[in-house]
Structures are given as C-alpha cells and as structure tokens.
Amino acid sequence: MFKIFYPKEYFDSTYSIDFNKYYKMGYRAVIFDVDNTLVEHDAPADERATELIKGLMNMGYQVCFLSNNDEERVKSFNENLGAKYIYKAGKPLAKGYNNAMEIMGTDRKNTLFVGDQIFTDIWGANNAGIRSVLVQPIAKHEEIQIVLKRIPEKLILHFYLKKNKLRTKK
C-alpha cells in the first residue's frame, strides 16, 4: 500500500552508511539532500560533512546536492566542497533526480540517493527509479511544515519496519 514511499534502506545517520560497500557494488554517484541529512537546517558544511563529501569524491564518486531550497542556501553549503548541485529541485518529481544524473554522467543503476524525508526525498528517488536511502533527521527541532509531514511519515515508517522486520542500521 505504501511501497512507493518505502526506502530501499534505512540508516540512523548519513554518517553510518558504508559507502565503500556501495562502491564495490558498482555505485558511482550519490545524490544528497542537504538539510537534516548532512547538517542541521540552514547550517554550513561542517567538518564531518566536508570530510564525507571530499572522501566520497576522492574514492571516485560523483556527488550532487539536490534541494528544494533556494540557490543561495545550496550554493553556500557547497562553497568549499566543489560538488554539483540543483536547487528548487521540485522533489518528489523525478525531474531533479534525472537532471542530477545527467550532470554527473551517471544513470539509475549506479546512483544512490540519501535523504531524511519520505514524502519528498524518498518518494522522489523512487519515482526516478534510483536506490533510495532514508536516514534519520539530524535535528529534532524543525519548521512546522516539516513537523506536520513527520506525523504520517511515522505511520509509513512503522509499516516499512514491520514489513522488513528491521530497525535502523547503525
């Protein structure tokens, strides 16, 4: 019933994902949501985010940030990282994900998406046909429109975890 919203995988944090494993599986690109996936909402790229992104790029990954936020936010986050980015992406529409793959020169088979919201990030990645990875949000305090979305997300997550007999991967 809710399968279109189910992630392929679910982790407690972006920073607990074993990207080496995915590289060995043939993945060569990661599309990331920014806010609450890599850093708290509106925060600059911190040391942990910088280390992760630069490490992925050194490993051979293409990296693209895909955000529904405005250009100023995404550009400033990316300033010292040098990744590609798309702002006002229109998630959950597949167009932004497809554009990200196009500018990275990758495809559905070798691209991962990592994000913290089911109704924008995961639904969009699933619409685009790429491997979707859900992470728990970094911050517990969010804007009201996101808090309201988290209520039905909990229901979907409950059924996802029950179906897969899982907890988050650490």
Side-chain angles (χ1 to χ4, degrees), residues 118-149:
I118 289 173
F119 293 126
T120 52
D121 299 330
I122 300 306
W123 190 13
N126 291 345
N127 283 337
I130 62 177
R131 188 180 198 113
S132 58
V133 179
L134 178 67
V135 295
Q136 291 181 8
I138 292 174
K140 300 303 174 204
H141 301 288
E142 299 177 297
E143 295 174 351
I144 189 65
Q145 70 270 20
I146 296 172
V147 170
L148 294 173
K149 283 194 263 183

Side-chain angles (χ1 to χ4, degrees), residues 36-119:
N36 253 350
T37 298
L38 292 165
V39 294
E40 288 189 19
H41 189 76
D42 282 335
D46 59 16
E47 187 177 322
R48 185 169 70 158
T50 300
E51 185 177 311
L52 174 66
I53 300 306
K54 295 222 180 225
L56 290 174
M57 292 165 90
N58 287 337
M59 191 185 303
Y61 275 105
Q62 293 287 320
V63 175
C64 184
F65 303 120
L66 185 69
S67 176
N68 283 346
N69 220 319
D70 61 27
E71 184 176 20
E72 183 180 331
R73 165 64 183 136
V74 185
K75 184 177 181 180
S76 67
F77 177 83
N78 188 45
E79 191 171 21
N80 295 318
L81 299 174
K84 294 168 176 64
Y85 67 89
I86 296 173
Y87 61 95
K88 292 190 178 180
K91 296 183 285 185
L93 299 176
K95 183 179 178 181
Y97 299 82
N98 292 331
N99 288 344
M101 288 184 282
E102 185 177 323
I103 65 173
M104 291 188 295
T106 61
D107 60 38
R108 288 171 178 81
K109 294 178 185 164
N110 64 2
T111 303
L112 296 169
F113 176 82
V114 180
D116 70 294
Q117 290 188 55
I118 289 173
F119 293 126

